[in-house]
Amino acid sequence: MPEQPILIIGGGPAGMEAARAIADLGYHAILVEKRSRLGGTPDDAGYAALTPDFRNAGEAMAEMAARIENNPFVQIKLNSTVTAASGSAGNFEVTLQNGATAEQVKAGAVIIATGFQHFDPGRETQQYGYYEFDDVITLVDLEKMLKAHKVVRPSNGKPPERLCFIQCVGSRDRQIGNEYCSKVCCGIASKEAIEVRQQLPNCKVFIFYIDMRMYGYWENQIYWPAQEKYKVNYVKGIVTEVLKKGDRLLIRGEDTTMGRPMEIPMDIVVLSVGMEPSAGTRELAKIFGVQQNKYKFIETIGGALDTVTTNVEGVFACGAATGPADLEDSVSSAAAAAMKAIAVVRKHHVKAAA
Ligand SMILES: Cc1cc2nc3c(=O)[nH]c(=O)nc-3n(C[C@H](O)[C@H](O)[C@H](O)COP(=O)(O)OP(=O)(O)OC[C@H]3O[C@@H](n4cnc5c(N)ncnc54)[C@H](O)[C@@H]3O)c2cc1C
Ligand code: SF4
């Protein structure tokens, strides 16, 4: 009996890296992606440049996709998803759905890499007026403007003179139940702030934050250059509401360093929205019977020492499907998931051959 392929669900950075690792080691992967192309959220949301090196996001995703497209070890199934699964480690039987067509495939192990979705700021933080005021946008909306080199106020098409970011929208918020830190938004906001200053040198840029959480090298790569070279103003404070004043926005809150209330006019307010598990992550967890944590990300059971093993033998999870993650975390965990999935397939192959 030949070794069974490994099924990977999700063609974002994590899924693509898992497929590449499996193929490089001479094993077979089937990669299932519900969209019509690979590249995951960075491609779907149209990110401009990536942290920390300002690499073109489109090019980086295309490079990852090119490593597995036309690779004899990787079968790619686009516009497809998984609707049912049965069997166990070494011998899963999975139903793939592509439009009206259903197909059964066998897999020795499964890697769930179905990623995240952006927090919808209209959902429970209405005080920031995302659906009310045209000039309140999100990090993702600004990525698209930066990519097009057209950072303008949606309300009148003019370049902003004052732009601010509000951090932790949908994250670190006990009231809405997302108590976790989304990890990337401080870095992404700082990166976007730099890009705004590069594209619009006359625009004043502010970042309102509770704590700035820059991980590892991002401190030197993004945070200090944003302040020192690009003169981005970091204000430790809590913005409690965004109001309309004339044709501008007014942000109201408290400057916690100075210990005084603040009211500052702005042309564009950018909400630094965090990460939530994607609909696909929630669905796939149910289909494979995999445990989810209280936020509905997939629970991995090995603590800090094993970030990819789930409670179901032979089913692994990686990338942002397991919790907020940057690309570095996502790709590293994907390689670990690939290695562990191969171990399962090998073990069952050897057993079957004995
Ligand atoms: C605004 C913003 C900007 C960011 N910019 C950066 C950055 O500059 N640098 C950085 O390191 N990180 C950045 N990140 C984080 C980065 O986007 C994630 O680390 C990365 O996308 C996670 O990769 P992933 O493959 O796990 O998930 P995703 O990129 O979300 O990919 C998941 C894939 O699974 C597919 N899928 C979902 N459900 C199903 C299903 N049921 N069936 C089949 N396929 C399915 C999706 O279509 C998608 O292609 C940013 C995040 C945000 C919020
Ligand atoms: S990374 Fe920054 S903005 Fe994002 S949740 Fe954490 S502290 Fe808040």
Side-chain angles (χ1 to χ4, degrees):
M1 181 185 105
E3 277 144 356
Q4 299 271 28
I6 294 162
L7 181 74
I8 304 164
I9 310 149
M16 291 191 290
E17 175 63 11
R20 186 192 68 86
I22 290 164
D24 279 357
L25 288 166
Y27 287 79
H28 287 268
I30 302 173
L31 178 59
V32 177
E33 166 55 50
K34 71 170 188 191
R35 294 173 63 230
S36 59
R37 47 191 276 164
L38 300 176
T41 305
D43 176 71
D44 190 31
Y47 296 168
L50 297 176
T51 52
D53 54 5
F54 292 82
R55 179 130 196 246
N56 180 294
E59 268 175 35
M61 291 304 111
E63 189 181 292
M64 290 192 86
R67 291 192 195 123
I68 50 171
E69 281 163 347
N70 306 315
N71 184 322
F73 290 94
V74 184
Q75 224 185 315
I76 299 174
K77 294 187 179 284
L78 298 173
N79 301 308
S80 302
T81 189
V82 168
T83 49
S86 59
S88 56
N91 211 359
F92 289 101
E93 183 132 339
V94 178
T95 308
L96 305 185
Q97 193 78 33
N98 176 331
T101 315
E103 177 193 0
Q104 302 290 324
V105 295
K106 285 188 184 301
V110 174
I111 298 176
I112 302 176
T114 40
F116 74 102
Q117 66 194 32
H118 302 99
F119 176 76
D120 173 0
R123 204 181 76 202
E124 288 169 84
T125 42
Q126 271 302 338
Q127 72 270 29
Y128 295 147
Y130 181 65
Y131 290 116
E132 217 175 331
F133 309 133
D134 291 343
D135 295 333
V136 177
I137 63 174
T138 65
L139 280 184
V140 190
D141 301 325
L142 182 56
E143 281 285 338
K144 291 197 174 88
M145 289 188 192
L146 289 164
K147 192 172 181 180
H149 281 256
K150 202 165 188 286
V151 178
V152 291
R153 295 180 63 185
S155 64
N156 62 10
K158 291 189 184 150
E161 288 167 19
R162 298 165 72 85
L163 175 149
C164 76
F165 295 83
I166 301 176
Q167 297 307 106
C168 300
V169 176
S171 311
R172 302 181 67 198
D173 188 332
R174 290 183 183 192
Q175 258 171 342
I176 62 167
N178 291 355
E179 295 115 339
Y180 54 86
C181 167
S182 286
K183 283 190 180 172
V184 299
C185 5
C186 280
I188 306 304
S190 300
K191 180 214 66 149
E192 291 187 8
I194 291 175
E195 290 171 290
V196 170
R197 294 280 297 151
Q198 286 171 337
Q199 293 187 18
L200 299 174
N202 292 328
C203 182
K204 287 199 166 49
V205 177
F206 301 80
I207 298 182
F208 295 99
Y209 67 95
I210 310 173
D211 310 293
M212 261 291 129
R213 293 186 168 175
M214 292 282 167
Y215 293 90
Y217 301 140
W218 286 21
E219 183 86 3
N220 266 345
Q221 289 164 321
I222 313 170
Y223 179 60
W224 289 114
Q227 290 196 49
E228 290 167 353
K229 186 165 176 205
Y230 294 97
K231 312 294 175 208
V232 174
N233 303 290
Y234 285 78
V235 183
K236 191 170 171 69
I238 296 165
V239 176
T240 47
E241 56 182 339
V242 176
L243 308 162
K244 186 100 175 117
K245 189 164 187 199
D247 79 331
R248 276 187 146 172
L249 299 167
L250 186 74
I251 60 147
R252 188 176 273 171
E254 191 192 333
D255 179 330
T256 46
T257 305
M258 305 302 280
R260 64 183 180 211
M262 62 180 176
E263 277 198 354
I264 311 179
M266 289 292 159
D267 294 322
I268 292 183
V269 172
V270 185
L271 306 180
S272 289
V273 286
M275 293 171 146
E276 291 190 321
S278 69
T281 293
R282 287 176 272 133
E283 277 161 26
L284 266 299
K286 286 200 190 105
I287 290 172
F288 285 97
V290 164
Q291 219 166 292
Q292 292 165 271
N293 67 17
K294 68 185 280 202
Y295 313 112
K296 302 291 178 210
F297 286 106
I298 292 176
E299 184 110 276
T300 52
I301 56 165
L305 301 183
D306 177 354
T307 55
V308 298
T309 297
T310 72
N311 61 311
V312 177
E313 199 200 339
V315 179
F316 302 91
C318 60
T322 63
D326 66 1
L327 287 169
E328 210 176 313
D329 294 343
S330 301
V331 166
S332 313
S333 67
M339 195 268 290
K340 286 183 191 282
I342 289 172
V344 167
V345 166
R346 279 191 64 153
K347 192 171 98 187
H348 284 271
H349 177 62
V350 170
K351 224 198 271 174

